[in-house]
Amino acid sequence: MQNLHTKKQSHDKSLSHWLTYNWGWILGGAALLAVLVYSALSHTGGPRADYTVTWVGTTYLSEGEVEAICQAIAQAGADQNGDGAVVTDVVQYVIDFTLTGEDHGYADSHANNVKLLAHLQAEDCLLFLLEDPEQFQRSTGALRYLDGAIPTDVDGYECANWQRMCLFWQPEGLEHQAYLGLRALFSGEESLFPGAAILFDAITDGC
């Protein structure tokens, strides 16, 4: 009986050790699966989205705020897929980039950051609505400059220049402070850009 108890303790320690050193891979795999499921569901049933806006902030947008974003884009955007409607998906990630491992809420924030990094690989992840553009750029390096240039300094991704990458945008009904930015596109991705760029110019005209 003592041997069985010892073996169980050894097994529990081994499992704990494995989870400690592999939890990042587990979260990454779960995030990738979530993105694949989201992509599959977004292409089945109902009107397909013409645009996807990715919100990154420390709290979720309310239903009213999401509706305000969709209405503003519907007025400025175009029916890109010919289904007779201008539809926008708002994908939300609640992340506080200032939290460290000992802070309350860090685990959830980190998990959402992993999901965001996986979503950045999706073709529809082009338009960002950001509460803290500087920290977002420091973490992801995903933003382009307003003139289309791509940051080249990988040490912080030129995050100090975030004001040259985003424009303040607050349509009626959006209570959060928010900045709109576009994802930097690289060789082979140019075909994804025109619709998002035209929309960006349209909704930020006069900002």
Side-chain angles (χ1 to χ4, degrees):
M1 182 66 70
Q2 184 176 2
N3 288 339
L4 289 175
H5 181 68
T6 302
K7 288 180 180 179
K8 184 179 184 301
Q9 286 184 324
S10 177
H11 177 269
D12 291 344
K13 288 181 179 179
S14 297
L15 179 59
S16 176
H17 179 82
W18 186 88
L19 289 173
T20 298
Y21 288 96
N22 291 277
W23 68 276
W25 291 102
I26 295 172
L27 283 177
L32 180 58
L33 178 61
V35 170
L36 292 174
V37 170
Y38 165 79
S39 179
L41 290 177
S42 65
H43 289 85
T44 58
R48 290 186 300 146
D50 298 283
Y51 305 101
T52 296
V53 175
T54 300
W55 161 255
V56 182
T58 54
T59 57
Y60 284 107
L61 300 171
S62 68
E63 291 185 9
E65 289 178 298
V66 171
E67 181 61 25
I69 293 169
C70 293
Q71 288 182 0
I73 292 178
Q75 293 174 5
D79 177 14
Q80 298 199 95
N81 52 36
D83 63 3
V86 179
V87 178
T88 299
D89 280 343
V90 179
V91 182
Q92 302 193 53
Y93 295 98
V94 173
I95 301 171
D96 187 339
F97 294 106
T98 66
L99 296 180
T100 63
E102 297 180 353
D103 293 326
H104 176 72
Y106 171 78
D108 289 340
S109 182
H110 180 73
N112 285 335
N113 194 26
V114 172
K115 293 178 183 178
L116 169 63
L117 294 176
H119 186 207
L120 287 176
Q121 309 306 313
E123 293 184 353
D124 64 354
C125 190
L126 299 174
L127 282 163
F128 299 106
L129 196 58
L130 308 169
E131 187 177 59
D132 189 343
E134 181 176 3
Q135 292 300 328
F136 173 83
Q137 181 66 5
R138 186 188 304 278
S139 176
T140 68
L143 295 174
R144 70 160 203 164
Y145 283 99
L146 295 174
D147 64 3
I150 298 173
T152 57
D153 181 6
V154 296
D155 184 14
Y157 302 106
E158 303 168 31
C159 60
N161 296 331
W162 67 267
Q163 290 180 323
R164 292 165 51 202
M165 303 175 186
C166 296
L167 290 174
F168 183 74
W169 186 59
Q170 196 162 26
E172 185 178 355
L174 178 60
E175 298 179 1
H176 282 77
Q177 175 175 287
Y179 297 82
L180 196 68
L182 285 167
R183 179 163 75 86
L185 296 181
F186 299 92
S187 178
E189 296 184 313
E190 291 83 356
S191 62
L192 305 176
F193 191 69
I198 292 171
L199 174 66
F200 182 88
D201 291 342
I203 63 180
T204 58
D205 184 32
C207 290

